[in-house]
Amino acid sequence: MAASASRRGARRGRSAAGPSGEEGAGRTSRKQAEESVDPETRARDVCLRLLTGAAKTRKQLADALRKRQVPDEVADEVLTRLEEVGLIDDAAFAAAWVESRHAVRGLSRRALAQELRTKGVAADLVEQAVAQLDHDDETDAARALVERKLRSTRGLDTQVRTRRLVGMLARRGYSEGLAFRVVRSALEEESSEPSGRE
């Protein structure tokens, strides 16, 4: 009985060590295989793999290549080639980013510009992208955000509601002046409706 228990223990020990050992070996061999490929091929493979998921800026790809220790001059050549064939296009990335983030999250031009800058988009391209939105677009988006949140603040003191709604707009990058105007207007409209307080 002791012998069978020790055999079971040995089997359990082997199965516990097996997968993690193999997984570690798999990771090591993958890394070694990646390093054995010439830097240019490795850089191109890394970029194409990252671009398959979603568009990326040149800086995002450059950062990824730096992390994988691809020499800067090789990375620069590969990135320039990918730009030439249209696989990297910071202007198109910025335009699409502004359109989707404004539509989905209601972000202001200021917040969108900040996000694009952190992704390494050049200042002139950031300006072009946020220029798609005018003052009316921003006001409409701010109004929609307030209308969505208005019902959940009912029953609270007017000052508390105002503070919360203005704070919500401020977190999305709207100026204090615009935020107060939109919130005040929404609260006035609500109180003038016959069912406003019901």
Side-chain angles (χ1 to χ4, degrees):
M1 190 158 174
S4 70
S6 68
R7 275 199 303 275
R8 273 201 306 276
R11 268 202 307 275
R12 199 178 299 120
R14 266 201 308 276
S15 68
S20 63
E22 286 163 21
E23 195 179 298
R27 210 178 290 122
T28 306
S29 66
R30 205 170 31 248
K31 193 173 181 202
Q32 285 168 346
E34 202 177 81
E35 284 169 2
S36 68
V37 176
D38 73 281
E40 191 176 328
T41 303
R42 193 167 85 224
R44 195 167 49 248
D45 289 348
V46 167
C47 289
L48 294 174
R49 199 163 52 240
L50 289 171
L51 288 166
T52 301
K56 298 271 186 291
T57 64
R58 181 177 175 125
K59 183 187 182 296
Q60 286 175 307
L61 293 171
D63 290 347
L65 294 178
R66 201 167 293 117
K67 270 187 202 157
R68 286 167 176 83
Q69 296 174 339
V70 172
D72 285 350
E73 63 277 8
V74 173
D76 200 49
E77 274 179 42
V78 169
L79 293 170
T80 300
R81 206 165 309 132
L82 291 173
E83 272 182 330
E84 286 166 359
V85 298
L87 288 175
I88 301 174
D89 185 341
D90 281 4
F93 175 94
W97 184 268
V98 165
E99 193 178 327
S100 73
R101 299 281 285 171
H102 180 70
V104 175
R105 295 210 50 225
L107 296 182
S108 70
R109 286 180 293 189
R110 188 169 59 185
L112 291 163
Q114 182 56 40
E115 287 186 343
L116 289 172
R117 279 194 290 272
T118 62
K119 292 185 179 300
V121 178
D124 59 327
L125 298 180
V126 170
E127 285 301 314
Q128 282 174 32
V130 297
Q132 297 175 71
L133 306 174
D134 61 20
H135 180 72
D136 291 344
D137 293 325
E138 280 205 317
T139 305
D140 291 345
R143 253 194 220 112
L145 287 167
V146 168
E147 280 167 19
R148 232 178 290 158
K149 194 88 175 152
L150 206 56
R151 190 172 288 126
S152 69
T153 66
R154 277 192 185 150
L156 295 173
D157 178 70
T158 304
Q159 281 189 329
V160 174
R161 294 181 85 189
T162 302
R163 200 166 51 244
R164 285 196 185 174
L165 293 167
V166 167
M168 179 265 296
L169 290 178
R171 285 191 296 278
R172 284 175 167 80
Y174 290 94
S175 71
E176 198 175 284
L178 174 63
F180 271 110
R181 262 197 319 277
V182 168
V183 170
R184 200 176 300 120
S185 166
L187 290 172
E188 282 168 7
E189 276 175 38
E190 183 192 63
S191 64
S192 69
E193 290 168 8
S195 59
R197 288 285 168 201
E198 282 169 25

PDB file of all heavy atoms in Angstrom, residues 157-191:
ATOM      1  N   ASP A 157     -30.197  67.500  -4.588  1.00  0.00           N
ATOM      2  CA  ASP A 157     -30.195  68.964  -4.553  1.00  0.00           C
ATOM      3  C   ASP A 157     -29.632  69.491  -5.881  1.00  0.00           C
ATOM      4  O   ASP A 157     -28.726  68.892  -6.472  1.00  0.00           O
ATOM      5  CB  ASP A 157     -29.301  69.410  -3.384  1.00  0.00           C
ATOM      6  CG  ASP A 157     -29.202  70.915  -3.311  1.00  0.00           C
ATOM      7  OD1 ASP A 157     -30.206  71.555  -2.959  1.00  0.00           O
ATOM      8  OD2 ASP A 157     -28.113  71.436  -3.634  1.00  0.00           O
ATOM      9  N   THR A 158     -30.179  70.610  -6.361  1.00  0.00           N
ATOM     10  CA  THR A 158     -29.772  71.175  -7.660  1.00  0.00           C
ATOM     11  C   THR A 158     -28.267  71.434  -7.724  1.00  0.00           C
ATOM     12  O   THR A 158     -27.626  71.158  -8.724  1.00  0.00           O
ATOM     13  CB  THR A 158     -30.539  72.488  -7.956  1.00  0.00           C
ATOM     14  OG1 THR A 158     -31.941  72.209  -7.889  1.00  0.00           O
ATOM     15  CG2 THR A 158     -30.204  73.008  -9.338  1.00  0.00           C
ATOM     16  N   GLN A 159     -27.711  71.956  -6.634  1.00  0.00           N
ATOM     17  CA  GLN A 159     -26.268  72.234  -6.630  1.00  0.00           C
ATOM     18  C   GLN A 159     -25.446  70.947  -6.750  1.00  0.00           C
ATOM     19  O   GLN A 159     -24.442  70.919  -7.442  1.00  0.00           O
ATOM     20  CB  GLN A 159     -25.873  72.984  -5.352  1.00  0.00           C
ATOM     21  CG  GLN A 159     -26.200  74.463  -5.402  1.00  0.00           C
ATOM     22  CD  GLN A 159     -25.604  75.205  -4.221  1.00  0.00           C
ATOM     23  OE1 GLN A 159     -25.462  74.653  -3.136  1.00  0.00           O
ATOM     24  NE2 GLN A 159     -25.243  76.462  -4.435  1.00  0.00           N
ATOM     25  N   VAL A 160     -25.887  69.916  -6.052  1.00  0.00           N
ATOM     26  CA  VAL A 160     -25.193  68.620  -6.100  1.00  0.00           C
ATOM     27  C   VAL A 160     -25.277  68.049  -7.521  1.00  0.00           C
ATOM     28  O   VAL A 160     -24.281  67.577  -8.075  1.00  0.00           O
ATOM     29  CB  VAL A 160     -25.795  67.620  -5.073  1.00  0.00           C
ATOM     30  CG1 VAL A 160     -25.170  66.236  -5.229  1.00  0.00           C
ATOM     31  CG2 VAL A 160     -25.602  68.141  -3.655  1.00  0.00           C
ATOM     32  N   ARG A 161     -26.476  68.124  -8.107  1.00  0.00           N
ATOM     33  CA  ARG A 161     -26.652  67.626  -9.485  1.00  0.00           C
ATOM     34  C   ARG A 161     -25.735  68.386 -10.436  1.00  0.00           C
ATOM     35  O   ARG A 161     -25.056  67.785 -11.271  1.00  0.00           O
ATOM     36  CB  ARG A 161     -28.098  67.822  -9.947  1.00  0.00           C
ATOM     37  CG  ARG A 161     -29.117  67.009  -9.195  1.00  0.00           C
ATOM     38  CD  ARG A 161     -30.500  67.266  -9.735  1.00  0.00           C
ATOM     39  NE  ARG A 161     -30.765  66.415 -10.889  1.00  0.00           N
ATOM     40  CZ  ARG A 161     -31.828  66.537 -11.663  1.00  0.00           C
ATOM     41  NH1 ARG A 161     -32.716  67.487 -11.445  1.00  0.00           N
ATOM     42  NH2 ARG A 161     -32.004  65.723 -12.681  1.00  0.00           N
ATOM     43  N   THR A 162     -25.728  69.702 -10.302  1.00  0.00           N
ATOM     44  CA  THR A 162     -24.891  70.537 -11.182  1.00  0.00           C
ATOM     45  C   THR A 162     -23.430  70.146 -11.042  1.00  0.00           C
ATOM     46  O   THR A 162     -22.737  69.935 -12.037  1.00  0.00           O
ATOM     47  CB  THR A 162     -25.080  72.038 -10.851  1.00  0.00           C
ATOM     48  OG1 THR A 162     -26.464  72.367 -10.996  1.00  0.00           O
ATOM     49  CG2 THR A 162     -24.239  72.911 -11.762  1.00  0.00           C
ATOM     50  N   ARG A 163     -22.970  70.017  -9.789  1.00  0.00           N
ATOM     51  CA  ARG A 163     -21.565  69.679  -9.542  1.00  0.00           C
ATOM     52  C   ARG A 163     -21.213  68.331 -10.170  1.00  0.00           C
ATOM     53  O   ARG A 163     -20.184  68.185 -10.822  1.00  0.00           O
ATOM     54  CB  ARG A 163     -21.302  69.665  -8.034  1.00  0.00           C
ATOM     55  CG  ARG A 163     -19.842  69.805  -7.664  1.00  0.00           C
ATOM     56  CD  ARG A 163     -19.608  70.130  -6.203  1.00  0.00           C
ATOM     57  NE  ARG A 163     -20.303  69.254  -5.288  1.00  0.00           N
ATOM     58  CZ  ARG A 163     -21.263  69.653  -4.454  1.00  0.00           C
ATOM     59  NH1 ARG A 163     -21.642  70.918  -4.421  1.00  0.00           N
ATOM     60  NH2 ARG A 163     -21.853  68.789  -3.654  1.00  0.00           N
ATOM     61  N   ARG A 164     -22.100  67.342  -9.986  1.00  0.00           N
ATOM     62  CA  ARG A 164     -21.828  66.006 -10.534  1.00  0.00           C
ATOM     63  C   ARG A 164     -21.786  66.004 -12.061  1.00  0.00           C
ATOM     64  O   ARG A 164     -20.912  65.391 -12.662  1.00  0.00           O
ATOM     65  CB  ARG A 164     -22.892  65.013 -10.061  1.00  0.00           C
ATOM     66  CG  ARG A 164     -22.685  64.622  -8.621  1.00  0.00           C
ATOM     67  CD  ARG A 164     -23.469  63.397  -8.273  1.00  0.00           C
ATOM     68  NE  ARG A 164     -23.341  63.127  -6.850  1.00  0.00           N
ATOM     69  CZ  ARG A 164     -23.998  62.189  -6.215  1.00  0.00           C
ATOM     70  NH1 ARG A 164     -24.859  61.429  -6.867  1.00  0.00           N
ATOM     71  NH2 ARG A 164     -23.815  61.994  -4.928  1.00  0.00           N
ATOM     72  N   LEU A 165     -22.758  66.675 -12.662  1.00  0.00           N
ATOM     73  CA  LEU A 165     -22.843  66.678 -14.131  1.00  0.00           C
ATOM     74  C   LEU A 165     -21.686  67.470 -14.750  1.00  0.00           C
ATOM     75  O   LEU A 165     -21.107  67.042 -15.754  1.00  0.00           O
ATOM     76  CB  LEU A 165     -24.194  67.241 -14.570  1.00  0.00           C
ATOM     77  CG  LEU A 165     -25.407  66.369 -14.198  1.00  0.00           C
ATOM     78  CD1 LEU A 165     -26.712  67.141 -14.369  1.00  0.00           C
ATOM     79  CD2 LEU A 165     -25.426  65.079 -15.009  1.00  0.00           C
ATOM     80  N   VAL A 166     -21.353  68.596 -14.140  1.00  0.00           N
ATOM     81  CA  VAL A 166     -20.211  69.391 -14.639  1.00  0.00           C
ATOM     82  C   VAL A 166     -18.915  68.599 -14.478  1.00  0.00           C
ATOM     83  O   VAL A 166     -18.063  68.574 -15.371  1.00  0.00           O
ATOM     84  CB  VAL A 166     -20.136  70.761 -13.916  1.00  0.00           C
ATOM     85  CG1 VAL A 166     -18.806  71.452 -14.184  1.00  0.00           C
ATOM     86  CG2 VAL A 166     -21.293  71.653 -14.360  1.00  0.00           C
ATOM     87  N   GLY A 167     -18.777  67.901 -13.339  1.00  0.00           N
ATOM     88  CA  GLY A 167     -17.588  67.070 -13.104  1.00  0.00           C
ATOM     89  C   GLY A 167     -17.452  65.967 -14.141  1.00  0.00           C
ATOM     90  O   GLY A 167     -16.351  65.687 -14.629  1.00  0.00           O
ATOM     91  N   MET A 168     -18.587  65.351 -14.501  1.00  0.00           N
ATOM     92  CA  MET A 168     -18.583  64.291 -15.514  1.00  0.00           C
ATOM     93  C   MET A 168     -18.103  64.832 -16.867  1.00  0.00           C
ATOM     94  O   MET A 168     -17.284  64.207 -17.549  1.00  0.00           O
ATOM     95  CB  MET A 168     -20.001  63.708 -15.621  1.00  0.00           C
ATOM     96  CG  MET A 168     -20.198  62.606 -16.630  1.00  0.00           C
ATOM     97  SD  MET A 168     -20.799  63.198 -18.236  1.00  0.00           S
ATOM     98  CE  MET A 168     -22.389  63.867 -17.824  1.00  0.00           C
ATOM     99  N   LEU A 169     -18.563  66.021 -17.223  1.00  0.00           N
ATOM    100  CA  LEU A 169     -18.124  66.632 -18.491  1.00  0.00           C
ATOM    101  C   LEU A 169     -16.649  67.045 -18.424  1.00  0.00           C
ATOM    102  O   LEU A 169     -15.912  66.885 -19.397  1.00  0.00           O
ATOM    103  CB  LEU A 169     -18.996  67.847 -18.831  1.00  0.00           C
ATOM    104  CG  LEU A 169     -20.450  67.551 -19.228  1.00  0.00           C
ATOM    105  CD1 LEU A 169     -21.207  68.844 -19.477  1.00  0.00           C
ATOM    106  CD2 LEU A 169     -20.518  66.656 -20.467  1.00  0.00           C
ATOM    107  N   ALA A 170     -16.230  67.562 -17.277  1.00  0.00           N
ATOM    108  CA  ALA A 170     -14.828  67.971 -17.113  1.00  0.00           C
ATOM    109  C   ALA A 170     -13.894  66.779 -17.298  1.00  0.00           C
ATOM    110  O   ALA A 170     -12.830  66.899 -17.925  1.00  0.00           O
ATOM    111  CB  ALA A 170     -14.609  68.596 -15.743  1.00  0.00           C
ATOM    112  N   ARG A 171     -14.301  65.607 -16.785  1.00  0.00           N
ATOM    113  CA  ARG A 171     -13.462  64.402 -16.941  1.00  0.00           C
ATOM    114  C   ARG A 171     -13.333  63.985 -18.403  1.00  0.00           C
ATOM    115  O   ARG A 171     -12.392  63.291 -18.769  1.00  0.00           O
ATOM    116  CB  ARG A 171     -14.027  63.240 -16.112  1.00  0.00           C
ATOM    117  CG  ARG A 171     -13.759  63.399 -14.626  1.00  0.00           C
ATOM    118  CD  ARG A 171     -14.090  62.132 -13.851  1.00  0.00           C
ATOM    119  NE  ARG A 171     -15.503  61.803 -13.895  1.00  0.00           N
ATOM    120  CZ  ARG A 171     -16.437  62.345 -13.113  1.00  0.00           C
ATOM    121  NH1 ARG A 171     -16.107  63.285 -12.236  1.00  0.00           N
ATOM    122  NH2 ARG A 171     -17.692  61.956 -13.206  1.00  0.00           N
ATOM    123  N   ARG A 172     -14.261  64.415 -19.224  1.00  0.00           N
ATOM    124  CA  ARG A 172     -14.176  64.099 -20.657  1.00  0.00           C
ATOM    125  C   ARG A 172     -13.546  65.246 -21.452  1.00  0.00           C
ATOM    126  O   ARG A 172     -13.591  65.266 -22.668  1.00  0.00           O
ATOM    127  CB  ARG A 172     -15.557  63.750 -21.202  1.00  0.00           C
ATOM    128  CG  ARG A 172     -15.995  62.349 -20.790  1.00  0.00           C
ATOM    129  CD  ARG A 172     -17.425  62.067 -21.233  1.00  0.00           C
ATOM    130  NE  ARG A 172     -17.758  60.653 -21.122  1.00  0.00           N
ATOM    131  CZ  ARG A 172     -18.093  60.043 -19.991  1.00  0.00           C
ATOM    132  NH1 ARG A 172     -18.096  60.729 -18.862  1.00  0.00           N
ATOM    133  NH2 ARG A 172     -18.400  58.762 -19.972  1.00  0.00           N
ATOM    134  N   GLY A 173     -13.000  66.212 -20.722  1.00  0.00           N
ATOM    135  CA  GLY A 173     -12.211  67.263 -21.368  1.00  0.00           C
ATOM    136  C   GLY A 173     -12.954  68.526 -21.747  1.00  0.00           C
ATOM    137  O   GLY A 173     -12.400  69.387 -22.419  1.00  0.00           O
ATOM    138  N   TYR A 174     -14.212  68.665 -21.330  1.00  0.00           N
ATOM    139  CA  TYR A 174     -14.971  69.865 -21.691  1.00  0.00           C
ATOM    140  C   TYR A 174     -14.595  71.033 -20.784  1.00  0.00           C
ATOM    141  O   TYR A 174     -14.327  70.851 -19.597  1.00  0.00           O
ATOM    142  CB  TYR A 174     -16.482  69.591 -21.604  1.00  0.00           C
ATOM    143  CG  TYR A 174     -16.945  68.655 -22.694  1.00  0.00           C
ATOM    144  CD1 TYR A 174     -17.033  67.284 -22.463  1.00  0.00           C
ATOM    145  CD2 TYR A 174     -17.235  69.142 -23.963  1.00  0.00           C
ATOM    146  CE1 TYR A 174     -17.426  66.420 -23.476  1.00  0.00           C
ATOM    147  CE2 TYR A 174     -17.628  68.275 -24.983  1.00  0.00           C
ATOM    148  CZ  TYR A 174     -17.715  66.915 -24.723  1.00  0.00           C
ATOM    149  OH  TYR A 174     -18.084  66.061 -25.733  1.00  0.00           O
ATOM    150  N   SER A 175     -14.604  72.228 -21.357  1.00  0.00           N
ATOM    151  CA  SER A 175     -14.260  73.414 -20.579  1.00  0.00           C
ATOM    152  C   SER A 175     -15.353  73.675 -19.542  1.00  0.00           C
ATOM    153  O   SER A 175     -16.509  73.274 -19.725  1.00  0.00           O
ATOM    154  CB  SER A 175     -14.130  74.633 -21.490  1.00  0.00           C
ATOM    155  OG  SER A 175     -15.418  75.012 -21.970  1.00  0.00           O
ATOM    156  N   GLU A 176     -14.971  74.349 -18.481  1.00  0.00           N
ATOM    157  CA  GLU A 176     -15.912  74.622 -17.396  1.00  0.00           C
ATOM    158  C   GLU A 176     -17.088  75.454 -17.889  1.00  0.00           C
ATOM    159  O   GLU A 176     -18.246  75.186 -17.548  1.00  0.00           O
ATOM    160  CB  GLU A 176     -15.174  75.365 -16.273  1.00  0.00           C
ATOM    161  CG  GLU A 176     -15.898  75.326 -14.951  1.00  0.00           C
ATOM    162  CD  GLU A 176     -15.072  75.981 -13.844  1.00  0.00           C
ATOM    163  OE1 GLU A 176     -14.113  75.347 -13.364  1.00  0.00           O
ATOM    164  OE2 GLU A 176     -15.405  77.132 -13.492  1.00  0.00           O
ATOM    165  N   GLY A 177     -16.792  76.453 -18.743  1.00  0.00           N
ATOM    166  CA  GLY A 177     -17.851  77.333 -19.265  1.00  0.00           C
ATOM    167  C   GLY A 177     -18.902  76.559 -20.044  1.00  0.00           C
ATOM    168  O   GLY A 177     -20.111  76.706 -19.800  1.00  0.00           O
ATOM    169  N   LEU A 178     -18.440  75.724 -20.971  1.00  0.00           N
ATOM    170  CA  LEU A 178     -19.363  74.929 -21.790  1.00  0.00           C
ATOM    171  C   LEU A 178     -20.138  73.953 -20.904  1.00  0.00           C
ATOM    172  O   LEU A 178     -21.357  73.803 -21.039  1.00  0.00           O
ATOM    173  CB  LEU A 178     -18.591  74.169 -22.871  1.00  0.00           C
ATOM    174  CG  LEU A 178     -19.407  73.181 -23.713  1.00  0.00           C
ATOM    175  CD1 LEU A 178     -20.491  73.897 -24.502  1.00  0.00           C
ATOM    176  CD2 LEU A 178     -18.510  72.395 -24.650  1.00  0.00           C
ATOM    177  N   ALA A 179     -19.440  73.309 -19.975  1.00  0.00           N
ATOM    178  CA  ALA A 179     -20.080  72.324 -19.097  1.00  0.00           C
ATOM    179  C   ALA A 179     -21.208  72.972 -18.295  1.00  0.00           C
ATOM    180  O   ALA A 179     -22.328  72.447 -18.243  1.00  0.00           O
ATOM    181  CB  ALA A 179     -19.045  71.704 -18.167  1.00  0.00           C
ATOM    182  N   PHE A 180     -20.945  74.140 -17.681  1.00  0.00           N
ATOM    183  CA  PHE A 180     -21.974  74.811 -16.882  1.00  0.00           C
ATOM    184  C   PHE A 180     -23.162  75.233 -17.750  1.00  0.00           C
ATOM    185  O   PHE A 180     -24.317  75.100 -17.340  1.00  0.00           O
ATOM    186  CB  PHE A 180     -21.400  76.033 -16.151  1.00  0.00           C
ATOM    187  CG  PHE A 180     -20.848  75.697 -14.796  1.00  0.00           C
ATOM    188  CD1 PHE A 180     -19.475  75.729 -14.557  1.00  0.00           C
ATOM    189  CD2 PHE A 180     -21.699  75.341 -13.750  1.00  0.00           C
ATOM    190  CE1 PHE A 180     -18.963  75.410 -13.302  1.00  0.00           C
ATOM    191  CE2 PHE A 180     -21.190  75.019 -12.490  1.00  0.00           C
ATOM    192  CZ  PHE A 180     -19.823  75.057 -12.271  1.00  0.00           C
ATOM    193  N   ARG A 181     -22.862  75.744 -18.958  1.00  0.00           N
ATOM    194  CA  ARG A 181     -23.944  76.174 -19.864  1.00  0.00           C
ATOM    195  C   ARG A 181     -24.864  75.014 -20.213  1.00  0.00           C
ATOM    196  O   ARG A 181     -26.088  75.114 -20.133  1.00  0.00           O
ATOM    197  CB  ARG A 181     -23.346  76.754 -21.153  1.00  0.00           C
ATOM    198  CG  ARG A 181     -23.271  78.263 -21.167  1.00  0.00           C
ATOM    199  CD  ARG A 181     -23.082  78.848 -22.552  1.00  0.00           C
ATOM    200  NE  ARG A 181     -22.141  78.131 -23.410  1.00  0.00           N
ATOM    201  CZ  ARG A 181     -20.816  78.296 -23.371  1.00  0.00           C
ATOM    202  NH1 ARG A 181     -20.265  79.105 -22.485  1.00  0.00           N
ATOM    203  NH2 ARG A 181     -20.045  77.621 -24.200  1.00  0.00           N
ATOM    204  N   VAL A 182     -24.256  73.886 -20.592  1.00  0.00           N
ATOM    205  CA  VAL A 182     -25.035  72.719 -21.014  1.00  0.00           C
ATOM    206  C   VAL A 182     -25.847  72.151 -19.849  1.00  0.00           C
ATOM    207  O   VAL A 182     -27.031  71.818 -19.995  1.00  0.00           O
ATOM    208  CB  VAL A 182     -24.101  71.633 -21.614  1.00  0.00           C
ATOM    209  CG1 VAL A 182     -24.817  70.313 -21.801  1.00  0.00           C
ATOM    210  CG2 VAL A 182     -23.536  72.104 -22.953  1.00  0.00           C
ATOM    211  N   VAL A 183     -25.230  72.054 -18.676  1.00  0.00           N
ATOM    212  CA  VAL A 183     -25.913  71.498 -17.501  1.00  0.00           C
ATOM    213  C   VAL A 183     -27.066  72.411 -17.077  1.00  0.00           C
ATOM    214  O   VAL A 183     -28.186  71.944 -16.824  1.00  0.00           O
ATOM    215  CB  VAL A 183     -24.919  71.278 -16.337  1.00  0.00           C
ATOM    216  CG1 VAL A 183     -25.660  70.947 -15.042  1.00  0.00           C
ATOM    217  CG2 VAL A 183     -23.936  70.167 -16.696  1.00  0.00           C
ATOM    218  N   ARG A 184     -26.814  73.711 -17.028  1.00  0.00           N
ATOM    219  CA  ARG A 184     -27.863  74.665 -16.633  1.00  0.00           C
ATOM    220  C   ARG A 184     -29.054  74.572 -17.586  1.00  0.00           C
ATOM    221  O   ARG A 184     -30.206  74.512 -17.159  1.00  0.00           O
ATOM    222  CB  ARG A 184     -27.290  76.090 -16.630  1.00  0.00           C
ATOM    223  CG  ARG A 184     -28.111  77.072 -15.793  1.00  0.00           C
ATOM    224  CD  ARG A 184     -27.474  78.443 -15.723  1.00  0.00           C
ATOM    225  NE  ARG A 184     -26.154  78.437 -15.137  1.00  0.00           N
ATOM    226  CZ  ARG A 184     -25.045  78.846 -15.754  1.00  0.00           C
ATOM    227  NH1 ARG A 184     -25.104  79.304 -16.996  1.00  0.00           N
ATOM    228  NH2 ARG A 184     -23.878  78.813 -15.152  1.00  0.00           N
ATOM    229  N   SER A 185     -28.750  74.527 -18.874  1.00  0.00           N
ATOM    230  CA  SER A 185     -29.808  74.438 -19.885  1.00  0.00           C
ATOM    231  C   SER A 185     -30.622  73.152 -19.719  1.00  0.00           C
ATOM    232  O   SER A 185     -31.852  73.166 -19.784  1.00  0.00           O
ATOM    233  CB  SER A 185     -29.158  74.503 -21.273  1.00  0.00           C
ATOM    234  OG  SER A 185     -30.062  74.112 -22.267  1.00  0.00           O
ATOM    235  N   ALA A 186     -29.936  72.033 -19.481  1.00  0.00           N
ATOM    236  CA  ALA A 186     -30.621  70.739 -19.324  1.00  0.00           C
ATOM    237  C   ALA A 186     -31.517  70.746 -18.091  1.00  0.00           C
ATOM    238  O   ALA A 186     -32.649  70.241 -18.131  1.00  0.00           O
ATOM    239  CB  ALA A 186     -29.598  69.615 -19.228  1.00  0.00           C
ATOM    240  N   LEU A 187     -31.032  71.317 -16.999  1.00  0.00           N
ATOM    241  CA  LEU A 187     -31.824  71.362 -15.761  1.00  0.00           C
ATOM    242  C   LEU A 187     -33.038  72.287 -15.925  1.00  0.00           C
ATOM    243  O   LEU A 187     -34.131  71.989 -15.427  1.00  0.00           O
ATOM    244  CB  LEU A 187     -30.963  71.819 -14.580  1.00  0.00           C
ATOM    245  CG  LEU A 187     -29.888  70.814 -14.119  1.00  0.00           C
ATOM    246  CD1 LEU A 187     -28.971  71.457 -13.083  1.00  0.00           C
ATOM    247  CD2 LEU A 187     -30.520  69.548 -13.562  1.00  0.00           C
ATOM    248  N   GLU A 188     -32.854  73.389 -16.639  1.00  0.00           N
ATOM    249  CA  GLU A 188     -33.977  74.313 -16.884  1.00  0.00           C
ATOM    250  C   GLU A 188     -35.046  73.651 -17.740  1.00  0.00           C
ATOM    251  O   GLU A 188     -36.239  73.750 -17.465  1.00  0.00           O
ATOM    252  CB  GLU A 188     -33.480  75.605 -17.560  1.00  0.00           C
ATOM    253  CG  GLU A 188     -32.814  76.574 -16.608  1.00  0.00           C
ATOM    254  CD  GLU A 188     -32.078  77.701 -17.325  1.00  0.00           C
ATOM    255  OE1 GLU A 188     -32.205  77.806 -18.577  1.00  0.00           O
ATOM    256  OE2 GLU A 188     -31.367  78.465 -16.637  1.00  0.00           O
ATOM    257  N   GLU A 189     -34.586  72.953 -18.782  1.00  0.00           N
ATOM    258  CA  GLU A 189     -35.536  72.245 -19.658  1.00  0.00           C
ATOM    259  C   GLU A 189     -36.313  71.201 -18.853  1.00  0.00           C
ATOM    260  O   GLU A 189     -37.530  71.055 -19.017  1.00  0.00           O
ATOM    261  CB  GLU A 189     -34.801  71.549 -20.804  1.00  0.00           C
ATOM    262  CG  GLU A 189     -34.514  72.435 -21.980  1.00  0.00           C
ATOM    263  CD  GLU A 189     -33.677  71.721 -23.055  1.00  0.00           C
ATOM    264  OE1 GLU A 189     -33.906  70.528 -23.289  1.00  0.00           O
ATOM    265  OE2 GLU A 189     -32.797  72.389 -23.638  1.00  0.00           O
ATOM    266  N   GLU A 190     -35.599  70.474 -18.028  1.00  0.00           N
ATOM    267  CA  GLU A 190     -36.233  69.421 -17.232  1.00  0.00           C
ATOM    268  C   GLU A 190     -37.301  70.002 -16.303  1.00  0.00           C
ATOM    269  O   GLU A 190     -38.413  69.470 -16.188  1.00  0.00           O
ATOM    270  CB  GLU A 190     -35.183  68.685 -16.396  1.00  0.00           C
ATOM    271  CG  GLU A 190     -35.746  67.535 -15.593  1.00  0.00           C
ATOM    272  CD  GLU A 190     -34.752  67.021 -14.552  1.00  0.00           C
ATOM    273  OE1 GLU A 190     -34.395  67.791 -13.639  1.00  0.00           O
ATOM    274  OE2 GLU A 190     -34.339  65.870 -14.666  1.00  0.00           O
ATOM    275  N   SER A 191     -36.986  71.119 -15.642  1.00  0.00           N
ATOM    276  CA  SER A 191     -37.944  71.700 -14.675  1.00  0.00           C
ATOM    277  C   SER A 191     -39.142  72.332 -15.382  1.00  0.00           C
ATOM    278  O   SER A 191     -40.197  72.463 -14.792  1.00  0.00           O
ATOM    279  CB  SER A 191     -37.254  72.732 -13.801  1.00  0.00           C
ATOM    280  OG  SER A 191     -36.812  73.831 -14.573  1.00  0.00           O
TER     281      SER A 191
END
